[in-house]
Amino acid sequence: QVQLVESGGGLVQPGGSLSLSCAASGSIFSINAMGWYRQAPGKQRELVARVVSGGMTNYADSVKGRFTISRDNAKKMVYLQMNSLKPEDTAVYYCNGIFRVAGGYEYDCWGQGTQVTVSA
Protein backbone atom coordinates (compact mmCIF):
# COMPACT_ATOMS: atom_id res chain seq x y z
CA GLN A 1 0.00 0.00 0.00
CA VAL A 2 1.08 3.57 0.63
CA GLN A 3 3.65 4.65 3.19
CA LEU A 4 4.72 8.08 4.40
CA VAL A 5 8.17 8.61 5.87
CA GLU A 6 8.99 11.87 7.62
CA SER A 7 12.40 13.37 8.25
CA GLY A 8 13.64 16.49 9.96
CA GLY A 9 12.50 17.82 13.27
CA GLY A 10 14.53 18.01 16.44
CA LEU A 11 15.39 20.60 19.05
CA VAL A 12 15.65 24.29 18.21
CA GLN A 13 15.79 27.52 20.19
CA PRO A 14 12.92 30.01 20.04
CA GLY A 15 13.20 32.10 16.92
CA GLY A 16 15.01 29.36 15.06
CA SER A 17 14.08 27.39 11.97
CA LEU A 18 13.50 23.75 11.09
CA SER A 19 12.51 21.93 7.97
CA LEU A 20 10.42 18.78 7.71
CA SER A 21 10.19 16.47 4.73
CA CYS A 22 7.76 13.68 3.93
CA ALA A 23 8.13 11.11 1.19
CA ALA A 24 5.28 8.96 -0.08
CA SER A 25 5.80 5.55 -1.62
CA GLY A 26 3.57 2.82 -2.97
CA SER A 27 1.04 2.38 -5.73
CA ILE A 28 -0.03 5.99 -6.03
CA PHE A 29 -1.90 7.12 -9.13
CA SER A 30 -2.40 10.69 -8.02
CA ILE A 31 -2.08 12.93 -5.00
CA ASN A 32 -5.26 14.58 -3.81
CA ALA A 33 -3.70 16.38 -0.88
CA MET A 34 -0.68 16.29 1.40
CA GLY A 35 -0.13 18.16 4.58
CA TRP A 36 1.15 18.41 8.10
CA TYR A 37 -0.66 18.05 11.38
CA ARG A 38 0.68 18.30 14.90
CA GLN A 39 -0.25 17.07 18.34
CA ALA A 40 1.06 18.59 21.53
CA PRO A 41 0.84 16.72 24.86
CA GLY A 42 -2.69 16.78 26.20
CA LYS A 43 -4.08 18.39 23.06
CA GLN A 44 -5.92 17.17 19.99
CA ARG A 45 -4.20 16.73 16.68
CA GLU A 46 -4.56 19.88 14.58
CA LEU A 47 -3.94 20.92 11.02
CA VAL A 48 -0.76 22.91 10.48
CA ALA A 49 -0.67 23.27 6.71
CA ARG A 50 -2.06 21.49 3.70
CA VAL A 51 -1.68 21.63 -0.07
CA VAL A 52 -4.30 20.14 -2.38
CA SER A 53 -3.99 18.84 -5.91
CA GLY A 54 -4.65 22.19 -7.56
CA GLY A 55 -1.91 23.82 -5.54
CA MET A 56 -4.10 25.69 -3.09
CA THR A 57 -2.69 25.84 0.40
CA ASN A 58 -4.19 26.50 3.78
CA TYR A 59 -2.54 27.15 7.10
CA ALA A 60 -3.49 27.25 10.73
CA ASP A 61 -3.81 30.86 11.86
CA SER A 62 -1.12 30.26 14.46
CA VAL A 63 1.53 29.52 11.80
CA LYS A 64 0.59 31.91 9.00
CA GLY A 65 3.54 34.02 7.97
CA ARG A 66 6.01 31.73 9.72
CA PHE A 67 5.54 28.31 8.10
CA THR A 68 5.58 27.46 4.41
CA ILE A 69 4.36 24.23 2.85
CA SER A 70 5.61 23.10 -0.53
CA ARG A 71 5.42 19.96 -2.59
CA ASP A 72 7.14 18.06 -5.37
CA ASN A 73 4.54 15.86 -7.03
CA ALA A 74 7.09 14.13 -9.23
CA LYS A 75 9.00 13.00 -6.14
CA LYS A 76 5.78 12.49 -4.15
CA MET A 77 7.13 14.69 -1.39
CA VAL A 78 5.85 17.48 0.79
CA TYR A 79 7.92 19.89 2.83
CA LEU A 80 7.32 22.21 5.74
CA GLN A 81 9.68 25.10 6.34
CA MET A 82 9.20 26.44 9.86
CA ASN A 83 10.66 29.83 10.76
CA SER A 84 10.42 32.01 13.84
CA LEU A 85 9.59 28.98 15.92
CA LYS A 86 7.91 29.44 19.28
CA PRO A 87 7.75 27.17 22.31
CA GLU A 88 4.06 26.61 21.56
CA ASP A 89 5.05 24.99 18.26
CA THR A 90 6.44 22.08 20.27
CA ALA A 91 4.59 18.94 19.22
CA VAL A 92 4.80 15.71 17.29
CA TYR A 93 4.35 16.60 13.64
CA TYR A 94 2.58 14.11 11.39
CA CYS A 95 2.58 13.96 7.63
CA ASN A 96 -0.77 13.13 6.03
CA GLY A 97 -1.61 12.27 2.47
CA ILE A 98 -4.79 11.50 0.56
CA PHE A 99 -4.04 9.52 -2.55
CA ARG A 100 -5.77 7.86 -5.45
CA VAL A 101 -4.41 4.32 -5.45
CA ALA A 102 -4.67 1.13 -7.45
CA GLY A 103 -8.29 0.10 -7.79
CA GLY A 104 -9.35 3.71 -8.11
CA TYR A 105 -10.18 4.35 -4.50
CA GLU A 106 -9.01 7.07 -2.15
CA TYR A 107 -6.51 6.22 0.55
CA ASP A 108 -5.83 8.34 3.63
CA CYS A 109 -2.37 7.74 5.07
CA TRP A 110 -0.39 9.00 8.07
CA GLY A 111 3.31 9.06 8.81
CA GLN A 112 4.81 7.88 12.07
CA GLY A 113 5.39 11.41 13.38
CA THR A 114 8.49 13.43 14.15
CA GLN A 115 9.15 15.43 17.30
CA VAL A 116 9.72 19.17 17.12
CA THR A 117 10.83 20.81 20.35
CA VAL A 118 11.29 24.56 20.67
CA SER A 119 13.11 25.40 23.86
CA ALA A 120 15.91 27.56 25.15
Side-chain angles (χ1 to χ4, degrees), residues 51-107:
V51 54
V52 297
S53 59
M56 186 178 299
T57 58
N58 60 292
Y59 295 89
D61 288 343
S62 59
V63 307
K64 283 180 181 177
R66 300 188 298 121
F67 290 12
T68 302
I69 190 169
S70 60
R71 65 177 183 177
D72 185 331
N73 282 347
K75 294 182 178 180
K76 299 176 186 173
M77 293 194 69
V78 67
Y79 309 93
L80 186 68
Q81 178 63 41
M82 304 182 290
N83 299 327
S84 303
L85 283 159
K86 304 175 181 180
E88 51 264 42
D89 294 318
T90 296
V92 178
Y93 283 69
Y94 296 91
C95 180
N96 172 261
I98 301 175
F99 308 100
R100 188 71 61 184
V101 299
Y105 61 92
E106 198 170 79
Y107 186 81

Side-chain angles (χ1 to χ4, degrees), residues 13-32:
Q13 292 186 341
S17 297
L18 279 176
S19 179
L20 304 181
S21 299
C22 174
S25 62
S27 300
I28 297 170
F29 283 172
S30 62
I31 300 172
N32 292 351

Side-chain angles (χ1 to χ4, degrees), residues 35-49:
W36 294 92
Y37 291 72
R38 67 186 180 188
Q39 187 166 19
K43 294 187 177 181
Q44 289 188 333
R45 190 174 297 188
E46 63 176 1
L47 174 69
V48 177

